[in-house]
Amino acid sequence: MAVDFRFIVIGRGMMGAAAARHLSSMADGIALIGPREPEERKTHDGVFASHYDEARITRTFDANLAWGTFAARALDRYREIEAKSGISFYSEVGCLYVGPQKAEEDFFRDAVAVSRTLGSDIEAIAPAELGRRFPYLAVDPDFTGYFERRRAGHINPRALVRAQVSLAEQGGVSLIEETVTSVRDAGSHVEVTAGGKSYSAGRVLVAAGGFSNFHTLLPRPIDTRVMARTVVFYEMGEREMAIFGDMPSTIVLGDREEDHIYILPPVRYPDGKTYLKLGGDTERLSFQNLKDAGAWFRSDGSAAERDHLSRIALQLMPELAGCPVTSGPCVANFTPTGYPYVGFAQSPRIGVLTGGNFVAAKSSDELGRLGAVLLAEGRLGDEDFGRELTPVFAAA
């Protein structure tokens, strides 16, 4: 039978929008289906996405070659995407990694080795130099640093998605602003239901992030944990901007995993105020359904986690004392492999692209490209880490 589209991408987030853009240069007859960001978060009762924000850290410094490669490939395309779309989203302010040398020796050693493979320029900073070079940060005297000046900083995820969608549409992609509620392999094609209408395609890519299992989008649920994350915002005034205004993105590895923290430099938000944002990776609340995930996104995150992060923040950056503090919700989608999933979901016509593992925003353009290659060519090669990206499915 004739189909409406050759390919449909489900999910208008960072990976899905990137996949649609890349597909637009590979084939005709493509649709991108997904709702826009809700105007009122606290009253919205549908699906959400984790890119509803103004800043995400970018870096290639990583102890894992695959993740470092994904980031490097994406970062190398940022300026081209900006130029072609006319939308700015990338701030190359650098990224600083700091931590106790002895406790993180293996990580730093492996990350430096990966950086050499990727051709990244990483500067090692001795403990005695950290305070002089980065005076906003108060760390223990045995902490060492690694600074990546080029191909590092932060991106505006909202703006990046706008740029990807704009270029996809310029390339002929049909944008359908609806929520997909079911996907069915009909044998010769795939049937997709969205907004009460049915669409058909030869192949479909499900890029619905943490919501991939919450509607009938896949033949079988993927093995993934959708975890709550709280982010904390410090409102900046003139005094704070004089101190923190020129800081790079910063990741601090503490002596304990629960003390790890990431820090975004001051960024102006849609309310007209400028905030320094930080977050961690300690919460254990997970979601099994749309109702619970939606309730979390409508909240202000966890008050206990906000207080925990604030205590660490004030130890690391005492000059934040007195700043107004707020918090917000996010989710992280973890896979048991530690890698994203880019592969077919037990159907040669339905692919899945998800599993950011809390580190994929910077790599989303490359992961989207891999999803596009999967649909267009039917497989990923070793040069694209195809084996590592094979999806794992939940037990029947």
Side-chain angles (χ1 to χ4, degrees):
M1 62 167 282
V3 296
D4 298 318
F5 300 100
R6 182 176 178 185
F7 301 126
I8 290 177
V9 178
I10 297 170
R12 193 182 172 183
M14 300 186 76
M15 294 187 198
R21 178 181 77 83
H22 284 283
L23 275 170
S24 71
S25 66
M26 301 176 183
D28 296 323
I30 301 157
L32 173 62
I33 307 180
R36 66 174 61 200
E37 181 177 352
E39 293 184 6
E40 296 293 338
R41 173 176 63 88
K42 293 199 172 185
T43 59
H44 179 64
D45 62 358
V47 300
F48 289 84
S50 291
H51 71 269
Y52 304 158
D53 192 20
E54 300 296 306
R56 289 286 191 279
I57 289 178
T58 61
R59 57 181 169 85
T60 70
F61 192 68
D62 200 298
N64 183 283
L65 178 60
W67 279 112
T69 300
F70 301 149
R73 290 176 179 177
L75 281 154
D76 285 344
R77 289 192 289 265
Y78 282 173
R79 293 307 187 198
E80 179 185 4
I81 296 171
E82 287 184 321
K84 288 184 176 180
S85 68
I87 298 173
S88 298
F89 58 84
Y90 175 37
S91 298
E92 195 176 35
V93 299
C95 182
L96 173 67
Y97 244 104
V98 299
Q101 178 67 50
K102 187 174 181 180
E104 301 297 335
E105 186 173 358
D106 290 345
F107 173 85
F108 287 138
R109 182 197 63 225
D110 293 345
V112 169
V114 168
S115 297
R116 292 194 186 104
T117 300
L118 298 176
S120 299
D121 184 12
I122 307 296
E123 178 189 2
I125 302 174
E129 287 292 301
L130 272 177
R132 183 184 64 81
R133 292 277 302 276
F134 305 98
Y136 66 90
L137 198 60
V139 295
D140 291 345
D142 66 330
F143 274 36
T144 190
Y146 291 86
F147 184 51
E148 183 174 16
R149 184 67 186 85
R150 192 179 67 84
R151 290 201 302 191
H154 57 90
I155 53 172
N156 181 322
R158 281 190 177 109
L160 175 54
V161 169
R162 288 198 302 270
Q164 300 280 29
V165 172
S166 175
L167 292 178
E169 288 189 288
Q170 291 177 35
V173 173
S174 298
L175 177 62
I176 301 171
E177 295 183 337
E178 298 288 353
T179 298
V180 174
T181 53
S182 72
V183 177
R184 185 177 73 89
D185 187 336
S188 61
H189 64 284
V190 182
E191 293 181 355
V192 175
T193 301
K197 295 184 179 180
S198 181
Y199 305 91
S200 60
R203 281 179 175 166
V204 167
L205 181 67
V206 176
F211 290 78
S212 297
N213 282 341
F214 294 165
H215 284 302
T216 312
L217 305 183
L218 298 168
R220 181 176 170 185
I222 50 173
D223 187 352
T224 183
R225 291 180 300 124
V226 181
M227 308 293 293
R229 290 294 179 265
T230 296
V231 290
V232 175
F233 300 92
Y234 281 83
E235 184 180 334
M236 299 281 99
E238 290 185 10
R239 182 188 72 86
E240 291 79 28
M241 287 300 294
I243 298 168
F244 299 103
D246 294 328
M247 66 178 284
S249 295
T250 304
I251 298 173
V252 181
L253 305 178
D255 289 312
R256 305 175 304 168
E257 183 177 349
E258 55 264 37
D259 294 331
H260 295 353
I261 196 169
Y262 64 87
I263 310 164
L264 273 300
V267 171
R268 184 173 294 276
Y269 273 69
D271 65 0
K273 298 179 180 179
T274 298
Y275 298 95
L276 179 149
K277 187 185 80 170
L278 56 95
D281 190 16
T282 63
E283 290 174 282
R284 294 294 174 259
L285 176 64
S286 63
F287 309 109
Q288 305 297 326
N289 55 62
L290 176 63
K291 178 182 177 181
D292 291 344
W296 174 256
F297 269 105
R298 288 187 290 273
S299 76
D300 292 326
S302 163
E305 181 69 3
R306 178 199 63 208
D307 293 344
H308 167 71
L309 291 169
S310 294
R311 284 193 295 270
I312 298 174
L314 291 176
Q315 290 172 3
L316 292 172
M317 297 170 288
E319 296 291 346
L320 289 176
C323 293
V325 182
T326 54
S327 60
C330 191
V331 300
N333 189 12
F334 292 97
T335 65
T337 65
Y339 293 103
Y341 292 153
V342 190
F344 286 103
Q346 300 184 326
S347 162
R349 285 168 286 277
I350 302 175
V352 61
L353 168 62
T354 191
N357 288 276
F358 207 37
V359 293
K362 63 185 180 300
S363 307
S364 60
D365 184 67
E366 174 61 11
L367 296 176
R369 186 190 71 82
L370 297 180
V373 170
L374 178 74
L375 283 203
E377 300 181 8
R379 62 180 295 274
L380 295 179
D382 290 343
E383 71 280 5
D384 288 328
F385 302 91
R387 295 180 184 178
E388 288 87 343
L389 305 185
T390 301
V392 178
F393 297 92

